[in-house]
Amino acid sequence: FNGQNEVMVGKVIKGIRKEVIIQSKMQVHPREKGRKLKSAEVAKKIKRMMQSSLEKSLKALQTDYIDIMLIHGASDVDIINNETVMEFLQLAKKKGQIRAYGFSSHTNQVELLKAANKTNFYEVIMVPYNHKGSYVHMLSGQYKEWDQPALEVEMRKAYKNKVGIVGMKTCSGGPYSPDGKGKPSYKEALKWVLKHEYIQTTAVAMGNMKEIKEDVMAMI
């Protein structure tokens, strides 16, 4: 919604803040790569970037804490393993500004999960997951796919490490039929994702009240 998502949510939750769990994201996309990411100058840049993003989110949401803060669109292992990034998240949690931290990813998610499973640092990880193992982005039309078996191996490891896995693009693989005979539906596509124990919750795109009701029924 033209960058106003947090503002809209902030207005809606006013007065009921303690009754909801808010997950938001911060931008951590320095241009520098490799060794440059470890320099003192880039560390300061990353810290400023993260601090600015966090402050803007808190202000827009009209709250003094965010339940889950994710690094938005992570694709590089060097970013999620960066000392400055990890230290900032730990400090923000210690201050009470965030209660849990993690990252979201649209690409390279298998390698990112492997790295996360080695450090066991991140508490929440959000990745695309559906019955098809691929999706077409509803806005850009961009096609993405992944190694489904390899992704599931890493998600199981993360689950054993008590990491919360959020599945996204759950219906972007198209409708699904559990027996291959009945009429495929998005409800069944969502149920397919939710049946896996390593999925704690999902981010489902909903365009109208009918879709909201259908998604809720899939979770009962």
Side-chain angles (χ1 to χ4, degrees), residues 103 105-114 117 125-135 144-159 165-169 192-193 196 198-199:
F103 63 85
S105 174
H106 290 79
T107 57
N108 200 30
Q109 53 264 44
V110 175
E111 292 305 313
L112 289 166
L113 270 167
K114 282 182 180 179
N117 283 329
I125 298 174
M126 182 175 179
V127 290
Y129 188 55
N130 58 48
H131 67 91
K132 196 173 182 181
S134 65
Y135 70 89
K144 298 277 187 180
E145 63 180 18
W146 54 88
D147 184 336
Q148 189 90 307
L151 180 65
E152 291 176 338
V153 166
E154 296 305 323
M155 287 198 290
R156 288 190 186 96
K157 288 179 182 178
Y159 173 71
I165 302 291
V166 182
M168 63 174 166
K169 310 300 181 189
W192 182 91
V193 174
H196 295 89
Y198 43 78
I199 297 293

Side-chain angles (χ1 to χ4, degrees), residues 2-216:
N2 298 319
Q4 296 300 300
N5 299 54
E6 289 180 324
V7 174
M8 293 166 64
V9 171
K11 291 178 179 179
V12 172
I13 66 166
K14 212 170 182 181
I16 59 168
R17 175 65 186 93
K18 293 182 179 180
E19 298 176 35
V20 298
I21 295 174
I22 298 176
Q23 175 178 288
S24 193
K25 302 179 184 180
M26 61 167 54
Q27 299 286 344
V28 190
H29 297 301
R31 294 180 181 179
E32 293 80 4
K33 302 290 182 182
R35 292 182 180 178
K36 290 184 178 180
L37 281 173
K38 298 181 180 180
S39 70
E41 183 180 347
V42 175
K44 290 179 181 178
K45 178 181 178 180
I46 290 173
K47 188 175 180 180
R48 287 196 303 269
M49 190 181 298
M50 296 179 76
Q51 186 64 42
S52 174
S53 184
L54 177 57
E55 288 175 356
K56 287 178 181 177
S57 290
L58 290 170
K59 182 179 180 180
L61 290 164
Q62 300 182 56
T63 183
D64 56 1
Y65 71 95
I66 293 171
D67 298 282
I68 304 168
M69 177 59 83
L70 306 180
I71 297 170
H72 179 55
S75 59
D76 190 341
V77 171
D78 286 344
I79 291 294
I80 65 168
N81 282 350
N82 183 271
E83 287 185 9
T84 303
V85 170
M86 297 167 84
E87 287 173 2
F88 181 91
L89 293 171
Q90 284 181 317
L91 183 57
K93 183 175 180 178
K94 187 176 181 180
K95 290 179 178 178
Q97 293 175 308
I98 60 177
R99 294 190 170 179
Y101 47 74
F103 63 85
S104 68
S105 174
H106 290 79
T107 57
N108 200 30
Q109 53 264 44
V110 175
E111 292 305 313
L112 289 166
L113 270 167
K114 282 182 180 179
N117 283 329
K118 287 180 181 178
T119 63
N120 201 24
F121 173 79
Y122 291 98
E123 301 164 311
V124 180
I125 298 174
M126 182 175 179
V127 290
Y129 188 55
N130 58 48
H131 67 91
K132 196 173 182 181
S134 65
Y135 70 89
V136 176
H137 197 282
M138 62 182 294
L139 298 177
S140 68
Q142 191 175 25
Y143 176 77
K144 298 277 187 180
E145 63 180 18
W146 54 88
D147 184 336
Q148 189 90 307
L151 180 65
E152 291 176 338
V153 166
E154 296 305 323
M155 287 198 290
R156 288 190 186 96
K157 288 179 182 178
Y159 173 71
K160 289 179 180 179
N161 289 335
K162 301 187 184 303
V163 176
I165 302 291
V166 182
M168 63 174 166
K169 310 300 181 189
T170 54
C171 295
S172 297
Y176 174 74
S177 171
D179 59 7
K181 298 177 181 179
K183 184 179 179 180
S185 70
Y186 288 106
K187 178 181 177 180
E188 290 298 332
L190 180 55
K191 287 176 71 174
W192 182 91
V193 174
L194 290 167
K195 75 178 183 179
H196 295 89
E197 65 175 1
Y198 43 78
I199 297 293
Q200 272 67 59
T201 188
T202 61
V204 187
M206 298 175 284
N208 52 56
M209 290 303 296
K210 179 179 179 295
E211 291 179 5
I212 292 174
K213 290 179 181 178
E214 186 174 356
D215 292 337
V216 170

